[in-house]
Amino acid sequence: MAPKDGGEASSKLVLYSYWQSSCSWRVRFALNLKGLSYEYKAVNLAKGEQFTPEFEKLNPLHFVPVLVDGDVVVSDSYAILMYLEEKYPQRTLLPADPQQKALNLQVASIISSSIQPLLMLSILKYLEEKVGLEERLLFVQTNIEKGFLALEKLLKDFVGKYATGEEVYMADVFMAPQIAVATERFKIDMSKFPTLSRIYESQRALPEFLAASPERQPDAVH
Amino acid sequence: MAHEEKKLKLYSYWRSSCSCRIRIALNLKGLEYQYIPVNLLKGEQFSPEFQKLNPIGYVPVLVDGDIVISDSFAIFMYLEEKYPQHPLLPSDLQKKALNFQAANIVCSSIQPLQNLAVLKYIEEKASPDEKIPWAKRHIEKGFEALEKLLKDHAGIYATGDEVFMADLFLAPQVHAGIKRFNVDMAKFPLLSRLNEAYSELPHFQNAMPENQPDSPSAWGTC
């Protein structure tokens, strides 16, 4: 379950990742849930390693995470997760029931399209220039809270121990890293979101989630 | 005289590119549906009634009998599974992943940064003059990414010689880029070529904003 840093190339799966990237976190979490071991290849975003010719060949968009599975190369965390779900169906991350499945995909989309993109460094830099630091923080918090409020309402009737019931699914894979970032980086007050708070307590207790967390990665800087 | 109520209902806004993706999918799969307009400019997405359907207040929403699904990605996957005619995902896993990736570039890197809520914010907090340059910048950045991503894979359409998911997500975004934000398409030869190809497909054209029941041109206003 734990990633290996370099060493023998015994795993078929290779994950290019950055310790702090929440998108990489999602994939690490899913790989752990599916019991898939992988080789961890660190891409130091702070040092611009995503722009090396070698990495550019893997992903011309210079983003992590990138998954390499033999001949197949997949970028974008959502695409990687859909790929893993199909190729390695053990410990399925999408329920069979169509409404439940759709709910999980919707939660994933709310996070990956309505929340996370508005927290990107380039956006924050622009906002700081144009509207100032205080306003920028307000923007970030407003958007996170808008998304969390939507999730709170959406999941209210479906929630169990985890986001959409008693099992861990795709919604949890996206949610847990996002809540971690929201609370630790952006100081979101989770008491406004009792349902999400409760789910998060269950999610963060999962060994698969903990093993995937930034501080536990080979390239973590302490 | 009662008319037979259509089983499928789509809550949509004429200009919403997310709604357009699904309108194309429904057309391609030969699925009839009842078009229910939600006027985003008038704030109809905030009505208690609509909030019950989708707490984040976005269109599209698909209603299929008892099932209610929001978010274009989730709706797309639901349609693909429930109505497998005219499949919109290739069976090859690498190519399928490519389609998810292209779709996500649109869903996460472009559209959320030029939707109504964000543009309103920029207009209010930065200045009205910043609105279009902001949108253009993000669209062009995303288009550059798509050019690179699809360069070695495109055929007649985005990922080969058949229409797949990537095309459904690309077409409305390219259309919006051209019609609303004056993006200079000369910089994007592949996307320009694809746009031409889409303009020849009735299922795409019938889904475009100007051809919807709630488009202003339907009432002869300019």
Side-chain angles (χ1 to χ4, degrees):
Chain A
M1 178 162 82
K4 302 174 250 187
D5 182 32
E8 331 116 6
S10 51
S11 317
K12 196 168 58 136
L13 288 172
V14 180
L15 182 72
Y16 290 78
S17 154
Y18 181 58
W19 65 295
Q20 277 183 323
S21 146
S22 66
C23 302
S24 302
W25 195 345
R26 296 169 192 159
V27 177
R28 299 190 300 247
F29 187 13
L31 287 165
N32 291 349
L33 286 167
K34 287 185 176 288
L36 294 167
S37 65
Y38 60 95
E39 188 185 337
Y40 187 103
K41 287 217 166 146
V43 182
N44 192 330
L45 302 184
K47 287 198 174 146
E49 284 178 9
Q50 68 275 40
F51 298 110
T52 63
E54 185 192 57
F55 189 74
E56 165 133 4
K57 256 202 284 196
L58 282 178
N59 185 8
L61 309 187
H62 313 120
F63 289 149
V64 288
V66 179
L67 183 83
V68 179
D69 185 0
D71 281 335
V72 177
V73 180
V74 187
S75 309
D76 181 90
S77 59
Y78 211 138
I80 295 172
L81 290 168
M82 298 300 284
Y83 170 82
L84 287 175
E85 187 56 12
E86 194 166 338
K87 181 89 187 279
Y88 304 99
Q90 67 268 29
R91 186 74 187 267
T92 180
L93 294 174
L94 286 172
D97 172 73
Q99 178 78 81
Q100 292 284 83
K101 186 183 288 196
L103 182 65
N104 272 275
L105 293 177
Q106 193 187 343
V107 170
S109 285
I110 286 174
I111 290 164
S112 68
S113 298
S114 304
I115 302 179
Q116 201 273 336
L118 298 171
L119 310 180
M120 284 192 304
L121 207 61
S122 51
I123 309 288
L124 299 184
K125 266 171 84 177
Y126 169 90
L127 285 174
E128 190 179 330
E129 276 171 41
K130 298 286 179 176
V131 302
L133 216 53
E134 242 180 73
E135 183 61 53
R136 179 188 101 164
L137 186 60
L138 203 59
F139 172 86
V140 164
Q141 288 175 332
T142 305
N143 282 298
I144 295 177
E145 294 192 350
K146 187 176 165 197
F148 281 8
L149 189 61
L151 290 173
E152 186 77 18
K153 288 188 200 172
L154 184 67
L155 295 174
K156 203 164 41 79
D157 298 330
F158 299 97
V159 70
K161 180 170 183 199
Y162 299 105
T164 61
E166 299 310 306
E167 307 276 342
V168 177
Y169 287 124
M170 196 70 88
D172 303 286
V173 172
F174 277 76
M175 254 180 80
Q178 190 66 73
I179 295 181
V181 165
T183 48
E184 289 160 29
R185 268 185 76 192
F186 300 108
K187 313 296 175 207
I188 296 296
D189 176 11
M190 289 304 291
S191 67
K192 301 190 211 181
F193 313 107
T195 307
L196 297 189
S197 297
R198 194 163 53 73
I199 301 169
Y200 183 53
E201 287 310 303
S202 304
Q203 291 161 345
R204 60 193 273 191
L206 292 165
E208 294 89 347
F209 176 70
L210 294 170
S213 62
E215 320 74 64
R216 303 238 191 137
Q217 302 316 303
D219 56 336
V221 176
H222 299 284
Chain B
M1 189 171 352
H3 75 272
E4 200 185 291
E5 212 183 281
K6 296 200 177 92
K7 194 169 76 112
L8 285 172
K9 298 191 206 318
L10 184 73
Y11 289 77
S12 156
Y13 178 59
W14 66 288
R15 216 170 52 173
S16 148
S17 61
C18 306
S19 304
C20 188
R21 299 165 193 162
I22 298 307
R23 298 191 299 246
I24 300 173
L26 291 164
N27 289 351
L28 287 167
K29 288 183 178 287
L31 295 167
E32 287 201 352
Y33 62 96
Q34 184 188 354
Y35 187 105
I36 303 178
V38 181
N39 193 326
L40 302 182
L41 286 183
K42 287 194 178 155
E44 286 177 5
Q45 69 275 38
F46 301 117
S47 71
E49 187 189 58
F50 189 76
Q51 286 276 306
K52 251 203 295 192
L53 280 179
N54 185 11
I56 203 167
Y58 290 158
V59 287
V61 178
L62 183 84
V63 178
D64 186 358
D66 280 335
I67 293 190
V68 179
I69 302 183
S70 309
D71 180 75
S72 58
F73 200 111
I75 296 172
F76 174 88
M77 295 304 293
Y78 170 81
L79 290 174
E80 189 58 8
E81 196 170 323
K82 178 93 184 278
Y83 304 99
Q85 66 270 28
H86 200 311
L88 295 170
L89 280 171
S91 41
D92 171 71
L93 290 187
Q94 174 78 82
K95 215 154 159 196
K96 189 183 285 195
L98 182 67
N99 271 273
F100 285 136
Q101 200 185 340
N104 259 313
I105 288 173
V106 176
C107 286
S108 304
S109 307
I110 306 178
Q111 197 279 337
L113 299 170
Q114 46 96 130
N115 68 21
L116 220 62
V118 172
L119 291 185
K120 230 176 119 198
Y121 176 88
I122 299 286
E123 187 176 37
E124 281 171 27
K125 302 284 181 171
S127 98
D129 293 329
E130 292 283 350
K131 210 169 62 158
I132 302 290
W134 159 279
K136 261 184 94 163
R137 204 166 114 231
H138 292 288
I139 295 174
E140 295 192 352
K141 201 161 158 226
F143 282 7
E144 272 162 29
L146 288 164
E147 287 277 326
K148 277 194 200 170
L149 178 73
L150 299 171
K151 191 165 53 82
D152 298 329
H153 304 279
I156 300 175
Y157 302 109
T159 61
D161 290 337
E162 290 174 68
V163 168
F164 285 127
M165 183 188 197
D167 301 290
L168 273 63
F169 281 69
L170 278 181
Q173 185 64 71
V174 173
H175 189 88
I178 297 171
K179 297 272 180 171
R180 283 179 67 197
F181 301 107
N182 290 319
V183 169
D184 177 13
M185 290 304 293
K187 298 195 240 181
F188 312 110
L190 173 58
L191 295 182
S192 298
R193 180 165 72 67
L194 292 176
N195 191 49
E196 279 298 307
Y198 303 143
S199 70
E200 319 227 321
L201 298 174
H203 291 314
F204 277 66
Q205 292 314 301
N206 291 340
M208 288 299 141
E210 50 283 5
N211 295 321
Q212 302 317 300
D214 56 336
S215 152
S217 58
W219 287 278
T221 56
C222 58

